[in-house]
Amino acid sequence: MATLLALALLFQDARKFPDPPAGLSPPAPVADAEAGSVAEMKPYREAIPGTDAAFDLVPIPGGTFRMGSPPSEPGRGSDEGPEVEVEIAPFWMARCETSWDEYHPFMLALDRKARAEGKASAAPQDPWADAVSRPTPPYVPMDFEMGVHGFPAISMTQFAARHYTKWLTMKTGRFYRLPSEAEWECACRAGTSTAYSFGDDPRQLGEYAWYFDDSDDAYHPVGTKKPNPFGLHDMHGNVAEWVLDAHEKGFYATLGGHAANPVCWPSQPYPHVVRGGSWDDDAEKLRSAARRGSTMSWKVQDPQIPKSIWYLTNARFVGFRVVRPLHPPPPEEWARYFEPDADSIRAVLEKQRAGGR
Amino acid sequence: MLLASRLERAPAGARPGDLLRVALVGCGGRGTGAAIQALSTAGPVHLVAMADAFRDRLDSSLAEIVKAVPERVDVPESRRFVGFEAYKQAIDLDVDVVLLTTPPGFRPEHFAHAVARGRHVFMEKPVAVDAPGVRAVLAAAQVAKQNDLKVGVGLQRHHDPAYRETVRRIQEGAIGKVLFYRCYWNSSGVWTRAREPGWSEMTYQMRNWYYFNWLCGDHIVEQHIHNLDVCNWIQGAPPAQAQGQGGRAVRTGPDTGEIYDHHAVEFTYADGTKMLSQCRHIGSCWDSVSEHAHGTLGVADVSAARITSQGGWDWRHRSGEEGVDPYQAEHDALFAAIRAGTPHMEAEYGATSTMTAIFGRMATYSGRLLKWDEALASNVRLAPERLDWDALPRSLPDAHGRYQSAIPGVTPVL
């Protein structure tokens, strides 16, 4: 009983957020994780320190590709053009969508809990990772009982997904973030210019994707369908994936036919872009060029005001995957990838860090 | 129960174009949401008064409501009330509708007062935390009915098209005769609020209210009521007997008060139908918030709006792209009834389902087999004798800041 009490007291403390130490979180040593040039980039596996979770990364060489779709493409949305030549710097991308196994340690502070209970040893990166805000406890199971172990994490806001990448960066000492919309499409196309990365025929989609016709109304474990030419799974379907960008329908037209590493940086909580379509979508929504904007209705059944900055009550089709640029930006530029992009989110986050709810 | 059956003021006979004046009592996150929903109903409606125990909660709530529906807020400083008596000051103003969204321990008193003043009411679930509170709500509901007052209760599943359609199909025999129900609210728990220097014991319990029974009723009452209510809804009656078990496995820290972190209850309805219920607030366990009915001809996952019968007949409710927000729909229905003058009385099933949850808590706290009639007749009151910032609640911390929780076989519940 005394032990239980001590554990509970430790866990109470573990919910508070200290300030991070000065300097950068030191990289945890991982084979093949470092490269000096595109030619040296290799696939590698990142084990998240202090958890049982690991995920695989695949090199995406970047280069130039054609973003968007031609007007002749069946099912095309008006926001998919005009097509733009886009240069992309090299990066690694997660082979699969972020799973609950990876996301739960962040969301439920399982890493801190495991340490408090003596089930995991301390890592040099912990002081940085522990300073990152964690989501509030969810009122209901956010997997909506579609499955946890091996299944993609869903129902997080775009801010929560970006804050996860902050935690992951501190936890590993390597700079992870959401992909930009252009990086996402470059990786999805994997050198192709067809509607899907396997061609134009939606009748083949079932070999590569979980979507409305084959999903039985639920998501499925990540990485169980065929990959694209880069070796990435579920770029088409399973869960739609958050990217960094705001959803501006006319964004491509502003790029003047050519752009290098474009991002449509958001300044409002809505709409942000999700890509790739989901288990709940029809075939045309899974096309490489298809875009979808988030809406307020994705939180409609959150009964509290202000609504949660962490959870979406009505978007059980939204998840994400992470990328790591070969050449990360300097740390003073990281905030735009990780921190709130709207005052309404910032205000709630600050209140929660101060112990409020 | 000393309640006038004739009211001192006739209720508002609002027509479609009339302005309805609303008072909000309880300015937390849910009250703020309820106010915005009330102010988003059809026809002219203004928020004119607000009340809360704490000034900071009132202020942050007002700021959010103004942000959402600025043209419908008219709450000058003179109509912002703070403290334990604030509800009276707000309700006694010239208002038509009162939103009661404080922690549930206050609900019976607030509801009775609103009804006595002739106000239409929206009140959040649960509507009480003990049997005397449930009886007070049932008595006030009778007065409200006699005087044509409209009462909505925040059991929003009743306003969710998927639930309504599924329940209707089960009641019409889609799975034959129901043999038993299963329902769950197993999740990782909710927020805690740490004690701050300078707070009295009363201030602390009011701030960290989820963990004290006189305010919250335990999570079996505060959350699991939703699932118990759905089974009662299908069955058309509350259970006649209950026995169960529960306890605290992880809720042993300083800010987790006196409530349990798990309950499992076997309820039995008068016709012998069983309801097996679980609720848990423990992380990294199997989570589910759902209701299921098992019948002679098939099964229904009510929460997923899915019916599978042995005849191979399979049905699933599909909502449109945007769907219906049941939290908005419950206010739309209440305000439409107020304007149309049609009956709208959810207080009775709200009170019955609240009592079902209290009944379950009595069963787990006592470890005994209990009967509905004796549970409803219980005179155990949880609230302190006196409500003030220096008054002492009944449950007090030991030297380590820990509170005694119920001990099955020992704790009296009736």
Side-chain angles (χ1 to χ4, degrees), chain B residues 91-115:
Chain B
I91 292 170
D92 291 353
L93 291 173
D94 187 17
V95 298
D96 306 298
V97 187
V98 178
L99 312 177
L100 302 177
T101 52
T102 64
F106 299 110
R107 199 90 68 243
E109 196 180 358
H110 292 184
F111 179 56
H113 188 77
V115 168

Side-chain angles (χ1 to χ4, degrees), chain A residues 21 33 37 85-87 104 115 144 146 196 237 249 294 322 355:
Chain A
S37 66
E85 291 284 328
V86 173
E87 280 176 57
H104 265 164
R115 256 184 288 139
F144 295 93
M146 293 191 288
Y196 306 95
K249 292 187 175 177
S294 58
V322 300

Side-chain angles (χ1 to χ4, degrees), chain A residues 33-35 41 44 57-58 60 88-93 169 174-180 183 244 261 322-330 334 337-338:
Chain A
E34 304 308 326
M41 290 172 75
Y44 68 95
L57 290 114
V58 175
I60 309 296
I88 293 291
F91 60 95
W92 285 271
M93 186 177 235
T169 295
R174 275 176 281 281
F175 177 73
Y176 288 99
R177 60 168 170 80
L178 289 185
S180 70
E183 288 167 336
L244 289 171
N261 303 304
V322 300
V323 297
R324 176 180 165 224
L326 173 62
H327 303 296
W334 289 3
Y337 299 99
F338 298 153

Side-chain angles (χ1 to χ4, degrees), chain A residues 292-304:
Chain A
R292 181 172 181 183
S294 58
T295 72
M296 279 179 77
S297 69
W298 292 7
K299 276 190 191 177
V300 70
Q301 286 196 43
D302 185 343
Q304 305 275 332

Side-chain angles (χ1 to χ4, degrees), chain A residues 287-332:
Chain A
R287 290 174 304 106
S288 299
R291 313 174 71 198
R292 181 172 181 183
S294 58
T295 72
M296 279 179 77
S297 69
W298 292 7
K299 276 190 191 177
V300 70
Q301 286 196 43
D302 185 343
Q304 305 275 332
I305 300 291
K307 290 178 187 270
S308 175
I309 63 172
W310 302 104
Y311 300 108
L312 300 170
T313 53
N314 296 68
R316 53 182 84 177
F317 48 84
V318 172
F320 70 100
R321 79 177 70 210
V322 300
V323 297
R324 176 180 165 224
L326 173 62
H327 303 296
E332 55 272 22

Side-chain angles (χ1 to χ4, degrees), chain A residues 1 4-5 8-9 12 15-16 108 110 113 137-141 143 145 212 216-217 280 292 295 297 300-307 314 344 351 355-357, chain B residues 29-30 32-33 36 57 64 185-193 207 223 249-250 252-255 284 287-290 306 316 318 321-322 324-327 402:
Chain A
M1 193 61 206
L4 266 181
L5 175 62
L9 288 170
Q12 286 294 312
R15 287 197 182 177
K16 292 178 187 153
L108 303 171
L110 299 182
K113 190 165 175 246
Y139 270 52
V140 298
D143 67 305
E145 298 169 54
F212 187 80
D216 194 22
D217 294 330
D280 200 26
R292 181 172 181 183
T295 72
S297 69
V300 70
Q301 286 196 43
D302 185 343
Q304 305 275 332
I305 300 291
K307 290 178 187 270
N314 296 68
S344 54
K351 197 172 161 196
R357 37 183 245 254
Chain B
R30 180 74 278 270
T32 307
I36 293 170
R57 300 297 281 171
E64 292 289 342
W185 194 303
N186 291 347
S187 71
S188 50
V190 301
W191 51 268
T192 58
R193 189 74 199 263
R207 290 283 189 187
Q223 282 189 323
V250 300
T252 50
D255 291 320
S284 303
D287 286 343
S288 179
V289 176
S290 63
R306 194 169 210 154
R316 182 184 172 219
R318 284 201 75 91
E321 167 91 350
E322 300 299 322
V324 170
D325 173 12
Y327 292 97
R402 295 161 61 204

